[in-house]
Amino acid sequence: MPEISTETITETTDSRPASRIAGSPRILIIDDEVAIRESLETMLALEGFTVVLATEGTSGMEQLAKNQFDLLLLDLALPGESGMDLLPRIVEMYPTLPVIMITAFGTMGNVVEAIRAGAENFVQKPWDNEKLLADIRTAIARHRAEEEVIQLKRTLKQRYNFENIVGKSEPMLKLFDLIAQVAPSRSTILIQGESGTGKELIAKAIHSNSPRRERPFVPVNTGAVPSELLESTLFGHVKGAFTSAISAKKGLFEVANGGTLFLDEIGTMTMDMQAKILRVLQDRRFMHLGGTQEIQVDVRIIAATNVNLQDAVRAGRFREDLFYRLNVITLELPSLRSRREDIPLLATHFLKLYAAENGMEERSLSPEALRVLMEYEWPGNVRELENAMERGVVLSTDKTIHPELLPAQLTGNTYTANILEQQPNASLFDLMEEIERRIIADRLERCQWNQTEAAEYFRIPLSTLNQKIKRLNVEIKKRNRE
């Protein structure tokens, strides 16, 4: 018979230890019935859990104060304070600890009251061992993911001052070290990575860890600003510089003076605009549009692109001299599919974020939903994962998110199958148009309605994409910024 790993209550003066992520999950059982305690202890120990036992509320609370647990099994009917009396205190003192209530007298009223008070689940005696074990594993997985996110953020905050960047994979740890190394310098930085990898977050982290942290961080998505307006946006203009210039206006270079200007999607700039950016990088001087007086600024430039600028240089779409000016220090952001071990952490982070934003209880992923996330290729990277978690939170009616709440592309549902069901009498031509319409709309949504980015993904000219959008009546929504 396998050795059973259990612990009994002992007096100790040790302070509460730090959260334990690795190792055997620890479960505290508070139940006054000997048979129930022994039955749960044996079952859980055989499954590899470390079990601690308490017979009533006072000793159970002492154990919670002394030790770190991954889950609490709490009996509803205890001598002295009942489990329902203890639950609000436990939730308040240990908000991330999942609690599963156990009772022989379960009623719908008890279930609702316990869930509202913060219980993870409610189990009635006699229970189904397999279901109980599944519930326990799901709750512990969520708890450990939450604890790991908290510890990771605390570590990154102490070491670097990084906000909202989550990752423990080797590529991300190397990136964190590199950011910390280059942030204090004045050097221009080029951030390269696929769409949705979080380039603006990295740029903010660099600024926050630099001597310029008290000065402005000014982001501008150059691909989202029409080319005829970009010069005025960056350099400002004098009154009367063009028809609608009824007053003078500062440009973003002036707004960012002393701080950092983040030029996102710099690969979309026209050659003429690239020449003007190059001059500012060289001389730290520029003129307002329509002006005659030079203005000197002290701005650190961080540029970002999701295209290969060296290929663009070879194709004649990007100035070679500007590329070398930008390419002083290059940071390569890994795709999400290349750091899959970060997916549970990121998912937990986003679930917590959007539950709070929507005034809802925290959500967790079912094991099946997590498996879907781990197996998906994530062409939209972290942004796509964030959108999927927001959708899951908003559509969920309980605390667990199952695969059916995930976007169709994650679970393998195809456009074709859905369209054939919805339009069984449509002609082949109509079906093909509908598929094309949905593919374009889906890609635009993943790109946050940036048509330039979508055209690059489809490897077609922007004008061709615009023609298709008009012909197919694709609805264009207002683009959200990262």
Side-chain angles (χ1 to χ4, degrees), residues 443-477:
R443 175 48 51 183
L444 285 168
E445 184 175 7
R446 295 193 195 190
C447 296
Q448 295 194 350
W449 311 101
N450 185 326
Q451 295 176 39
T452 301
E453 186 176 323
E456 290 173 354
Y457 175 84
F458 289 128
R459 300 179 185 177
I460 60 175
L462 180 58
S463 58
T464 302
L465 178 61
N466 286 330
Q467 290 171 6
K468 288 179 177 291
I469 289 171
K470 292 177 182 178
R471 177 173 61 84
L472 298 168
N473 294 320
V474 177
E475 182 183 359
I476 302 297
K477 297 182 181 178

PDB file of all heavy atoms in Angstrom, residues 443-477:
ATOM      1  N   ARG A 443     -10.098  38.773 -38.816  1.00  0.00           N
ATOM      2  CA  ARG A 443      -8.730  39.274 -38.779  1.00  0.00           C
ATOM      3  C   ARG A 443      -8.693  40.743 -38.357  1.00  0.00           C
ATOM      4  O   ARG A 443      -7.836  41.151 -37.570  1.00  0.00           O
ATOM      5  CB  ARG A 443      -8.068  39.089 -40.157  1.00  0.00           C
ATOM      6  CG  ARG A 443      -6.679  39.687 -40.285  1.00  0.00           C
ATOM      7  CD  ARG A 443      -5.749  39.356 -39.161  1.00  0.00           C
ATOM      8  NE  ARG A 443      -5.666  37.931 -38.864  1.00  0.00           N
ATOM      9  CZ  ARG A 443      -4.955  37.425 -37.885  1.00  0.00           C
ATOM     10  NH1 ARG A 443      -4.265  38.212 -37.080  1.00  0.00           N
ATOM     11  NH2 ARG A 443      -4.940  36.121 -37.675  1.00  0.00           N
ATOM     12  N   LEU A 444      -9.642  41.540 -38.843  1.00  0.00           N
ATOM     13  CA  LEU A 444      -9.696  42.948 -38.449  1.00  0.00           C
ATOM     14  C   LEU A 444      -9.937  43.081 -36.947  1.00  0.00           C
ATOM     15  O   LEU A 444      -9.329  43.923 -36.277  1.00  0.00           O
ATOM     16  CB  LEU A 444     -10.793  43.675 -39.223  1.00  0.00           C
ATOM     17  CG  LEU A 444     -10.482  44.000 -40.688  1.00  0.00           C
ATOM     18  CD1 LEU A 444     -11.751  44.439 -41.418  1.00  0.00           C
ATOM     19  CD2 LEU A 444      -9.415  45.087 -40.788  1.00  0.00           C
ATOM     20  N   GLU A 445     -10.813  42.221 -36.414  1.00  0.00           N
ATOM     21  CA  GLU A 445     -11.072  42.277 -34.971  1.00  0.00           C
ATOM     22  C   GLU A 445      -9.820  41.906 -34.185  1.00  0.00           C
ATOM     23  O   GLU A 445      -9.498  42.539 -33.180  1.00  0.00           O
ATOM     24  CB  GLU A 445     -12.222  41.342 -34.613  1.00  0.00           C
ATOM     25  CG  GLU A 445     -12.615  41.416 -33.143  1.00  0.00           C
ATOM     26  CD  GLU A 445     -13.832  40.577 -32.813  1.00  0.00           C
ATOM     27  OE1 GLU A 445     -14.300  39.835 -33.699  1.00  0.00           O
ATOM     28  OE2 GLU A 445     -14.307  40.676 -31.674  1.00  0.00           O
ATOM     29  N   ARG A 446      -9.098  40.891 -34.659  1.00  0.00           N
ATOM     30  CA  ARG A 446      -7.862  40.490 -33.965  1.00  0.00           C
ATOM     31  C   ARG A 446      -6.812  41.600 -34.027  1.00  0.00           C
ATOM     32  O   ARG A 446      -5.989  41.743 -33.122  1.00  0.00           O
ATOM     33  CB  ARG A 446      -7.288  39.224 -34.580  1.00  0.00           C
ATOM     34  CG  ARG A 446      -8.164  37.996 -34.422  1.00  0.00           C
ATOM     35  CD  ARG A 446      -7.384  36.759 -34.774  1.00  0.00           C
ATOM     36  NE  ARG A 446      -8.243  35.615 -34.987  1.00  0.00           N
ATOM     37  CZ  ARG A 446      -7.793  34.377 -35.117  1.00  0.00           C
ATOM     38  NH1 ARG A 446      -6.500  34.147 -35.062  1.00  0.00           N
ATOM     39  NH2 ARG A 446      -8.614  33.379 -35.324  1.00  0.00           N
ATOM     40  N   CYS A 447      -6.833  42.375 -35.117  1.00  0.00           N
ATOM     41  CA  CYS A 447      -5.891  43.496 -35.288  1.00  0.00           C
ATOM     42  C   CYS A 447      -6.436  44.777 -34.669  1.00  0.00           C
ATOM     43  O   CYS A 447      -5.866  45.852 -34.896  1.00  0.00           O
ATOM     44  CB  CYS A 447      -5.610  43.737 -36.767  1.00  0.00           C
ATOM     45  SG  CYS A 447      -4.770  42.392 -37.618  1.00  0.00           S
ATOM     46  N   GLN A 448      -7.543  44.669 -33.941  1.00  0.00           N
ATOM     47  CA  GLN A 448      -8.208  45.830 -33.360  1.00  0.00           C
ATOM     48  C   GLN A 448      -8.549  46.850 -34.433  1.00  0.00           C
ATOM     49  O   GLN A 448      -8.375  48.049 -34.274  1.00  0.00           O
ATOM     50  CB  GLN A 448      -7.357  46.447 -32.237  1.00  0.00           C
ATOM     51  CG  GLN A 448      -7.187  45.507 -31.059  1.00  0.00           C
ATOM     52  CD  GLN A 448      -6.654  46.199 -29.824  1.00  0.00           C
ATOM     53  OE1 GLN A 448      -6.239  47.345 -29.867  1.00  0.00           O
ATOM     54  NE2 GLN A 448      -6.671  45.502 -28.709  1.00  0.00           N
ATOM     55  N   TRP A 449      -9.005  46.351 -35.585  1.00  0.00           N
ATOM     56  CA  TRP A 449      -9.542  47.142 -36.694  1.00  0.00           C
ATOM     57  C   TRP A 449      -8.481  48.001 -37.368  1.00  0.00           C
ATOM     58  O   TRP A 449      -8.796  49.012 -37.991  1.00  0.00           O
ATOM     59  CB  TRP A 449     -10.748  47.966 -36.229  1.00  0.00           C
ATOM     60  CG  TRP A 449     -11.706  47.102 -35.489  1.00  0.00           C
ATOM     61  CD1 TRP A 449     -11.870  47.008 -34.134  1.00  0.00           C
ATOM     62  CD2 TRP A 449     -12.596  46.122 -36.052  1.00  0.00           C
ATOM     63  NE1 TRP A 449     -12.800  46.059 -33.824  1.00  0.00           N
ATOM     64  CE2 TRP A 449     -13.273  45.495 -34.974  1.00  0.00           C
ATOM     65  CE3 TRP A 449     -12.893  45.743 -37.359  1.00  0.00           C
ATOM     66  CZ2 TRP A 449     -14.216  44.509 -35.160  1.00  0.00           C
ATOM     67  CZ3 TRP A 449     -13.843  44.751 -37.543  1.00  0.00           C
ATOM     68  CH2 TRP A 449     -14.490  44.133 -36.449  1.00  0.00           C
ATOM     69  N   ASN A 450      -7.231  47.572 -37.268  1.00  0.00           N
ATOM     70  CA  ASN A 450      -6.146  48.241 -37.985  1.00  0.00           C
ATOM     71  C   ASN A 450      -6.045  47.601 -39.373  1.00  0.00           C
ATOM     72  O   ASN A 450      -5.550  46.487 -39.534  1.00  0.00           O
ATOM     73  CB  ASN A 450      -4.834  48.071 -37.210  1.00  0.00           C
ATOM     74  CG  ASN A 450      -3.696  48.838 -37.844  1.00  0.00           C
ATOM     75  OD1 ASN A 450      -3.614  48.972 -39.062  1.00  0.00           O
ATOM     76  ND2 ASN A 450      -2.807  49.333 -37.009  1.00  0.00           N
ATOM     77  N   GLN A 451      -6.497  48.318 -40.397  1.00  0.00           N
ATOM     78  CA  GLN A 451      -6.573  47.744 -41.740  1.00  0.00           C
ATOM     79  C   GLN A 451      -5.187  47.521 -42.342  1.00  0.00           C
ATOM     80  O   GLN A 451      -4.987  46.567 -43.109  1.00  0.00           O
ATOM     81  CB  GLN A 451      -7.421  48.656 -42.638  1.00  0.00           C
ATOM     82  CG  GLN A 451      -8.877  48.731 -42.178  1.00  0.00           C
ATOM     83  CD  GLN A 451      -9.706  49.696 -42.998  1.00  0.00           C
ATOM     84  OE1 GLN A 451      -9.533  49.778 -44.210  1.00  0.00           O
ATOM     85  NE2 GLN A 451     -10.598  50.429 -42.343  1.00  0.00           N
ATOM     86  N   THR A 452      -4.234  48.377 -41.997  1.00  0.00           N
ATOM     87  CA  THR A 452      -2.871  48.201 -42.501  1.00  0.00           C
ATOM     88  C   THR A 452      -2.280  46.884 -42.006  1.00  0.00           C
ATOM     89  O   THR A 452      -1.678  46.121 -42.772  1.00  0.00           O
ATOM     90  CB  THR A 452      -1.977  49.377 -42.052  1.00  0.00           C
ATOM     91  OG1 THR A 452      -2.527  50.602 -42.557  1.00  0.00           O
ATOM     92  CG2 THR A 452      -0.561  49.212 -42.561  1.00  0.00           C
ATOM     93  N   GLU A 453      -2.476  46.616 -40.717  1.00  0.00           N
ATOM     94  CA  GLU A 453      -1.960  45.383 -40.127  1.00  0.00           C
ATOM     95  C   GLU A 453      -2.639  44.161 -40.741  1.00  0.00           C
ATOM     96  O   GLU A 453      -1.988  43.141 -41.019  1.00  0.00           O
ATOM     97  CB  GLU A 453      -2.170  45.415 -38.621  1.00  0.00           C
ATOM     98  CG  GLU A 453      -1.554  44.239 -37.865  1.00  0.00           C
ATOM     99  CD  GLU A 453      -1.714  44.405 -36.367  1.00  0.00           C
ATOM    100  OE1 GLU A 453      -1.626  45.545 -35.871  1.00  0.00           O
ATOM    101  OE2 GLU A 453      -1.947  43.390 -35.693  1.00  0.00           O
ATOM    102  N   ALA A 454      -3.954  44.264 -40.974  1.00  0.00           N
ATOM    103  CA  ALA A 454      -4.685  43.144 -41.577  1.00  0.00           C
ATOM    104  C   ALA A 454      -4.221  42.885 -43.002  1.00  0.00           C
ATOM    105  O   ALA A 454      -4.059  41.733 -43.418  1.00  0.00           O
ATOM    106  CB  ALA A 454      -6.183  43.430 -41.551  1.00  0.00           C
ATOM    107  N   ALA A 455      -3.979  43.953 -43.757  1.00  0.00           N
ATOM    108  CA  ALA A 455      -3.504  43.788 -45.134  1.00  0.00           C
ATOM    109  C   ALA A 455      -2.142  43.097 -45.154  1.00  0.00           C
ATOM    110  O   ALA A 455      -1.884  42.234 -46.006  1.00  0.00           O
ATOM    111  CB  ALA A 455      -3.421  45.150 -45.824  1.00  0.00           C
ATOM    112  N   GLU A 456      -1.269  43.459 -44.207  1.00  0.00           N
ATOM    113  CA  GLU A 456       0.045  42.808 -44.132  1.00  0.00           C
ATOM    114  C   GLU A 456      -0.104  41.328 -43.796  1.00  0.00           C
ATOM    115  O   GLU A 456       0.613  40.479 -44.339  1.00  0.00           O
ATOM    116  CB  GLU A 456       0.909  43.506 -43.087  1.00  0.00           C
ATOM    117  CG  GLU A 456       1.348  44.904 -43.491  1.00  0.00           C
ATOM    118  CD  GLU A 456       2.052  45.637 -42.372  1.00  0.00           C
ATOM    119  OE1 GLU A 456       2.092  45.100 -41.238  1.00  0.00           O
ATOM    120  OE2 GLU A 456       2.570  46.742 -42.617  1.00  0.00           O
ATOM    121  N   TYR A 457      -1.055  41.013 -42.910  1.00  0.00           N
ATOM    122  CA  TYR A 457      -1.276  39.607 -42.550  1.00  0.00           C
ATOM    123  C   TYR A 457      -1.742  38.810 -43.770  1.00  0.00           C
ATOM    124  O   TYR A 457      -1.288  37.688 -44.000  1.00  0.00           O
ATOM    125  CB  TYR A 457      -2.320  39.517 -41.435  1.00  0.00           C
ATOM    126  CG  TYR A 457      -2.699  38.097 -41.073  1.00  0.00           C
ATOM    127  CD1 TYR A 457      -1.928  37.355 -40.178  1.00  0.00           C
ATOM    128  CD2 TYR A 457      -3.809  37.484 -41.647  1.00  0.00           C
ATOM    129  CE1 TYR A 457      -2.264  36.049 -39.856  1.00  0.00           C
ATOM    130  CE2 TYR A 457      -4.152  36.181 -41.336  1.00  0.00           C
ATOM    131  CZ  TYR A 457      -3.374  35.468 -40.437  1.00  0.00           C
ATOM    132  OH  TYR A 457      -3.697  34.175 -40.128  1.00  0.00           O
ATOM    133  N   PHE A 458      -2.675  39.394 -44.555  1.00  0.00           N
ATOM    134  CA  PHE A 458      -3.199  38.704 -45.732  1.00  0.00           C
ATOM    135  C   PHE A 458      -2.243  38.768 -46.933  1.00  0.00           C
ATOM    136  O   PHE A 458      -2.505  38.132 -47.957  1.00  0.00           O
ATOM    137  CB  PHE A 458      -4.542  39.315 -46.146  1.00  0.00           C
ATOM    138  CG  PHE A 458      -5.676  39.022 -45.210  1.00  0.00           C
ATOM    139  CD1 PHE A 458      -6.464  40.035 -44.704  1.00  0.00           C
ATOM    140  CD2 PHE A 458      -5.963  37.715 -44.830  1.00  0.00           C
ATOM    141  CE1 PHE A 458      -7.525  39.770 -43.853  1.00  0.00           C
ATOM    142  CE2 PHE A 458      -7.012  37.437 -43.971  1.00  0.00           C
ATOM    143  CZ  PHE A 458      -7.795  38.468 -43.472  1.00  0.00           C
ATOM    144  N   ARG A 459      -1.174  39.577 -46.799  1.00  0.00           N
ATOM    145  CA  ARG A 459      -0.181  39.735 -47.872  1.00  0.00           C
ATOM    146  C   ARG A 459      -0.821  40.276 -49.146  1.00  0.00           C
ATOM    147  O   ARG A 459      -0.572  39.781 -50.254  1.00  0.00           O
ATOM    148  CB  ARG A 459       0.550  38.413 -48.152  1.00  0.00           C
ATOM    149  CG  ARG A 459       1.294  37.883 -46.934  1.00  0.00           C
ATOM    150  CD  ARG A 459       1.997  36.573 -47.223  1.00  0.00           C
ATOM    151  NE  ARG A 459       2.592  36.023 -46.021  1.00  0.00           N
ATOM    152  CZ  ARG A 459       3.224  34.865 -45.947  1.00  0.00           C
ATOM    153  NH1 ARG A 459       3.361  34.124 -47.049  1.00  0.00           N
ATOM    154  NH2 ARG A 459       3.735  34.428 -44.814  1.00  0.00           N
ATOM    155  N   ILE A 460      -1.673  41.283 -48.953  1.00  0.00           N
ATOM    156  CA  ILE A 460      -2.300  41.958 -50.087  1.00  0.00           C
ATOM    157  C   ILE A 460      -2.148  43.461 -49.885  1.00  0.00           C
ATOM    158  O   ILE A 460      -1.968  43.924 -48.744  1.00  0.00           O
ATOM    159  CB  ILE A 460      -3.803  41.604 -50.227  1.00  0.00           C
ATOM    160  CG1 ILE A 460      -4.585  42.008 -48.956  1.00  0.00           C
ATOM    161  CG2 ILE A 460      -3.980  40.135 -50.545  1.00  0.00           C
ATOM    162  CD1 ILE A 460      -6.079  41.791 -49.065  1.00  0.00           C
ATOM    163  N   PRO A 461      -2.203  44.258 -50.948  1.00  0.00           N
ATOM    164  CA  PRO A 461      -2.137  45.714 -50.788  1.00  0.00           C
ATOM    165  C   PRO A 461      -3.312  46.233 -49.958  1.00  0.00           C
ATOM    166  O   PRO A 461      -4.406  45.646 -49.975  1.00  0.00           O
ATOM    167  CB  PRO A 461      -2.208  46.236 -52.224  1.00  0.00           C
ATOM    168  CG  PRO A 461      -1.797  45.087 -53.081  1.00  0.00           C
ATOM    169  CD  PRO A 461      -2.260  43.857 -52.373  1.00  0.00           C
ATOM    170  N   LEU A 462      -3.078  47.329 -49.248  1.00  0.00           N
ATOM    171  CA  LEU A 462      -4.142  47.920 -48.440  1.00  0.00           C
ATOM    172  C   LEU A 462      -5.338  48.303 -49.309  1.00  0.00           C
ATOM    173  O   LEU A 462      -6.498  48.150 -48.904  1.00  0.00           O
ATOM    174  CB  LEU A 462      -3.608  49.159 -47.704  1.00  0.00           C
ATOM    175  CG  LEU A 462      -4.598  49.913 -46.812  1.00  0.00           C
ATOM    176  CD1 LEU A 462      -5.167  49.001 -45.746  1.00  0.00           C
ATOM    177  CD2 LEU A 462      -3.918  51.126 -46.182  1.00  0.00           C
ATOM    178  N   SER A 463      -5.073  48.784 -50.534  1.00  0.00           N
ATOM    179  CA  SER A 463      -6.165  49.169 -51.427  1.00  0.00           C
ATOM    180  C   SER A 463      -7.047  47.972 -51.784  1.00  0.00           C
ATOM    181  O   SER A 463      -8.274  48.091 -51.879  1.00  0.00           O
ATOM    182  CB  SER A 463      -5.599  49.803 -52.706  1.00  0.00           C
ATOM    183  OG  SER A 463      -4.724  48.890 -53.371  1.00  0.00           O
ATOM    184  N   THR A 464      -6.417  46.795 -51.971  1.00  0.00           N
ATOM    185  CA  THR A 464      -7.193  45.584 -52.271  1.00  0.00           C
ATOM    186  C   THR A 464      -8.093  45.196 -51.104  1.00  0.00           C
ATOM    187  O   THR A 464      -9.264  44.843 -51.283  1.00  0.00           O
ATOM    188  CB  THR A 464      -6.250  44.419 -52.608  1.00  0.00           C
ATOM    189  OG1 THR A 464      -5.431  44.786 -53.719  1.00  0.00           O
ATOM    190  CG2 THR A 464      -7.023  43.159 -52.947  1.00  0.00           C
ATOM    191  N   LEU A 465      -7.531  45.289 -49.877  1.00  0.00           N
ATOM    192  CA  LEU A 465      -8.341  44.972 -48.697  1.00  0.00           C
ATOM    193  C   LEU A 465      -9.503  45.946 -48.575  1.00  0.00           C
ATOM    194  O   LEU A 465     -10.637  45.539 -48.273  1.00  0.00           O
ATOM    195  CB  LEU A 465      -7.473  45.016 -47.442  1.00  0.00           C
ATOM    196  CG  LEU A 465      -8.211  44.749 -46.108  1.00  0.00           C
ATOM    197  CD1 LEU A 465      -8.823  43.361 -46.104  1.00  0.00           C
ATOM    198  CD2 LEU A 465      -7.274  44.927 -44.923  1.00  0.00           C
ATOM    199  N   ASN A 466      -9.246  47.224 -48.803  1.00  0.00           N
ATOM    200  CA  ASN A 466     -10.320  48.217 -48.716  1.00  0.00           C
ATOM    201  C   ASN A 466     -11.437  47.930 -49.721  1.00  0.00           C
ATOM    202  O   ASN A 466     -12.632  48.085 -49.424  1.00  0.00           O
ATOM    203  CB  ASN A 466      -9.766  49.625 -48.943  1.00  0.00           C
ATOM    204  CG  ASN A 466      -8.974  50.123 -47.743  1.00  0.00           C
ATOM    205  OD1 ASN A 466      -9.255  49.743 -46.615  1.00  0.00           O
ATOM    206  ND2 ASN A 466      -7.980  50.961 -47.982  1.00  0.00           N
ATOM    207  N   GLN A 467     -11.057  47.509 -50.929  1.00  0.00           N
ATOM    208  CA  GLN A 467     -12.051  47.168 -51.947  1.00  0.00           C
ATOM    209  C   GLN A 467     -12.918  45.988 -51.501  1.00  0.00           C
ATOM    210  O   GLN A 467     -14.136  45.979 -51.680  1.00  0.00           O
ATOM    211  CB  GLN A 467     -11.350  46.845 -53.272  1.00  0.00           C
ATOM    212  CG  GLN A 467     -10.717  48.057 -53.948  1.00  0.00           C
ATOM    213  CD  GLN A 467      -9.861  47.667 -55.135  1.00  0.00           C
ATOM    214  OE1 GLN A 467      -9.819  46.510 -55.541  1.00  0.00           O
ATOM    215  NE2 GLN A 467      -9.165  48.654 -55.706  1.00  0.00           N
ATOM    216  N   LYS A 468     -12.259  44.985 -50.898  1.00  0.00           N
ATOM    217  CA  LYS A 468     -13.002  43.822 -50.425  1.00  0.00           C
ATOM    218  C   LYS A 468     -13.949  44.203 -49.283  1.00  0.00           C
ATOM    219  O   LYS A 468     -15.077  43.707 -49.187  1.00  0.00           O
ATOM    220  CB  LYS A 468     -12.031  42.728 -49.965  1.00  0.00           C
ATOM    221  CG  LYS A 468     -11.301  42.025 -51.101  1.00  0.00           C
ATOM    222  CD  LYS A 468     -10.346  40.974 -50.567  1.00  0.00           C
ATOM    223  CE  LYS A 468      -9.675  40.208 -51.691  1.00  0.00           C
ATOM    224  NZ  LYS A 468     -10.642  39.347 -52.417  1.00  0.00           N
ATOM    225  N   ILE A 469     -13.470  45.060 -48.391  1.00  0.00           N
ATOM    226  CA  ILE A 469     -14.299  45.503 -47.267  1.00  0.00           C
ATOM    227  C   ILE A 469     -15.569  46.180 -47.775  1.00  0.00           C
ATOM    228  O   ILE A 469     -16.682  45.938 -47.281  1.00  0.00           O
ATOM    229  CB  ILE A 469     -13.496  46.450 -46.347  1.00  0.00           C
ATOM    230  CG1 ILE A 469     -12.429  45.653 -45.573  1.00  0.00           C
ATOM    231  CG2 ILE A 469     -14.417  47.176 -45.369  1.00  0.00           C
ATOM    232  CD1 ILE A 469     -11.452  46.517 -44.809  1.00  0.00           C
ATOM    233  N   LYS A 470     -15.411  47.033 -48.790  1.00  0.00           N
ATOM    234  CA  LYS A 470     -16.571  47.734 -49.352  1.00  0.00           C
ATOM    235  C   LYS A 470     -17.493  46.774 -50.107  1.00  0.00           C
ATOM    236  O   LYS A 470     -18.707  46.811 -49.951  1.00  0.00           O
ATOM    237  CB  LYS A 470     -16.095  48.848 -50.283  1.00  0.00           C
ATOM    238  CG  LYS A 470     -15.400  49.995 -49.556  1.00  0.00           C
ATOM    239  CD  LYS A 470     -14.875  51.041 -50.536  1.00  0.00           C
ATOM    240  CE  LYS A 470     -14.137  52.152 -49.804  1.00  0.00           C
ATOM    241  NZ  LYS A 470     -13.565  53.164 -50.733  1.00  0.00           N
ATOM    242  N   ARG A 471     -16.905  45.892 -50.914  1.00  0.00           N
ATOM    243  CA  ARG A 471     -17.715  44.975 -51.723  1.00  0.00           C
ATOM    244  C   ARG A 471     -18.491  43.996 -50.853  1.00  0.00           C
ATOM    245  O   ARG A 471     -19.653  43.662 -51.148  1.00  0.00           O
ATOM    246  CB  ARG A 471     -16.812  44.219 -52.704  1.00  0.00           C
ATOM    247  CG  ARG A 471     -17.562  43.184 -53.559  1.00  0.00           C
ATOM    248  CD  ARG A 471     -16.659  42.580 -54.617  1.00  0.00           C
ATOM    249  NE  ARG A 471     -15.536  41.880 -54.048  1.00  0.00           N
ATOM    250  CZ  ARG A 471     -15.594  40.610 -53.618  1.00  0.00           C
ATOM    251  NH1 ARG A 471     -16.734  39.931 -53.682  1.00  0.00           N
ATOM    252  NH2 ARG A 471     -14.528  40.023 -53.127  1.00  0.00           N
ATOM    253  N   LEU A 472     -17.863  43.535 -49.769  1.00  0.00           N
ATOM    254  CA  LEU A 472     -18.491  42.525 -48.926  1.00  0.00           C
ATOM    255  C   LEU A 472     -19.294  43.123 -47.773  1.00  0.00           C
ATOM    256  O   LEU A 472     -19.867  42.383 -46.968  1.00  0.00           O
ATOM    257  CB  LEU A 472     -17.414  41.585 -48.364  1.00  0.00           C
ATOM    258  CG  LEU A 472     -16.621  40.770 -49.403  1.00  0.00           C
ATOM    259  CD1 LEU A 472     -15.415  40.116 -48.757  1.00  0.00           C
ATOM    260  CD2 LEU A 472     -17.522  39.728 -50.048  1.00  0.00           C
ATOM    261  N   ASN A 473     -19.292  44.472 -47.687  1.00  0.00           N
ATOM    262  CA  ASN A 473     -20.012  45.158 -46.605  1.00  0.00           C
ATOM    263  C   ASN A 473     -19.548  44.695 -45.224  1.00  0.00           C
ATOM    264  O   ASN A 473     -20.348  44.393 -44.335  1.00  0.00           O
ATOM    265  CB  ASN A 473     -21.533  44.942 -46.736  1.00  0.00           C
ATOM    266  CG  ASN A 473     -22.108  45.605 -47.969  1.00  0.00           C
ATOM    267  OD1 ASN A 473     -21.718  46.729 -48.315  1.00  0.00           O
ATOM    268  ND2 ASN A 473     -23.007  44.911 -48.651  1.00  0.00           N
ATOM    269  N   VAL A 474     -18.235  44.613 -45.048  1.00  0.00           N
ATOM    270  CA  VAL A 474     -17.671  44.240 -43.751  1.00  0.00           C
ATOM    271  C   VAL A 474     -17.820  45.425 -42.804  1.00  0.00           C
ATOM    272  O   VAL A 474     -17.388  46.539 -43.113  1.00  0.00           O
ATOM    273  CB  VAL A 474     -16.183  43.853 -43.881  1.00  0.00           C
ATOM    274  CG1 VAL A 474     -15.597  43.538 -42.506  1.00  0.00           C
ATOM    275  CG2 VAL A 474     -16.029  42.659 -44.813  1.00  0.00           C
ATOM    276  N   GLU A 475     -18.422  45.158 -41.663  1.00  0.00           N
ATOM    277  CA  GLU A 475     -18.625  46.232 -40.682  1.00  0.00           C
ATOM    278  C   GLU A 475     -17.307  46.576 -40.000  1.00  0.00           C
ATOM    279  O   GLU A 475     -16.632  45.706 -39.452  1.00  0.00           O
ATOM    280  CB  GLU A 475     -19.652  45.805 -39.628  1.00  0.00           C
ATOM    281  CG  GLU A 475     -19.946  46.902 -38.599  1.00  0.00           C
ATOM    282  CD  GLU A 475     -20.905  46.435 -37.533  1.00  0.00           C
ATOM    283  OE1 GLU A 475     -21.342  45.270 -37.623  1.00  0.00           O
ATOM    284  OE2 GLU A 475     -21.195  47.221 -36.616  1.00  0.00           O
ATOM    285  N   ILE A 476     -16.938  47.843 -40.035  1.00  0.00           N
ATOM    286  CA  ILE A 476     -15.696  48.307 -39.420  1.00  0.00           C
ATOM    287  C   ILE A 476     -16.032  48.999 -38.112  1.00  0.00           C
ATOM    288  O   ILE A 476     -16.838  49.933 -38.079  1.00  0.00           O
ATOM    289  CB  ILE A 476     -14.940  49.274 -40.347  1.00  0.00           C
ATOM    290  CG1 ILE A 476     -14.629  48.601 -41.686  1.00  0.00           C
ATOM    291  CG2 ILE A 476     -13.657  49.761 -39.683  1.00  0.00           C
ATOM    292  CD1 ILE A 476     -13.718  47.396 -41.560  1.00  0.00           C
ATOM    293  N   LYS A 477     -15.406  48.533 -37.058  1.00  0.00           N
ATOM    294  CA  LYS A 477     -15.636  49.129 -35.735  1.00  0.00           C
ATOM    295  C   LYS A 477     -14.475  50.047 -35.384  1.00  0.00           C
ATOM    296  O   LYS A 477     -13.396  49.946 -35.943  1.00  0.00           O
ATOM    297  CB  LYS A 477     -15.783  48.041 -34.664  1.00  0.00           C
ATOM    298  CG  LYS A 477     -16.984  47.144 -34.905  1.00  0.00           C
ATOM    299  CD  LYS A 477     -17.094  46.122 -33.797  1.00  0.00           C
ATOM    300  CE  LYS A 477     -18.275  45.185 -34.036  1.00  0.00           C
ATOM    301  NZ  LYS A 477     -18.388  44.151 -32.993  1.00  0.00           N
TER     302      LYS A 477
END
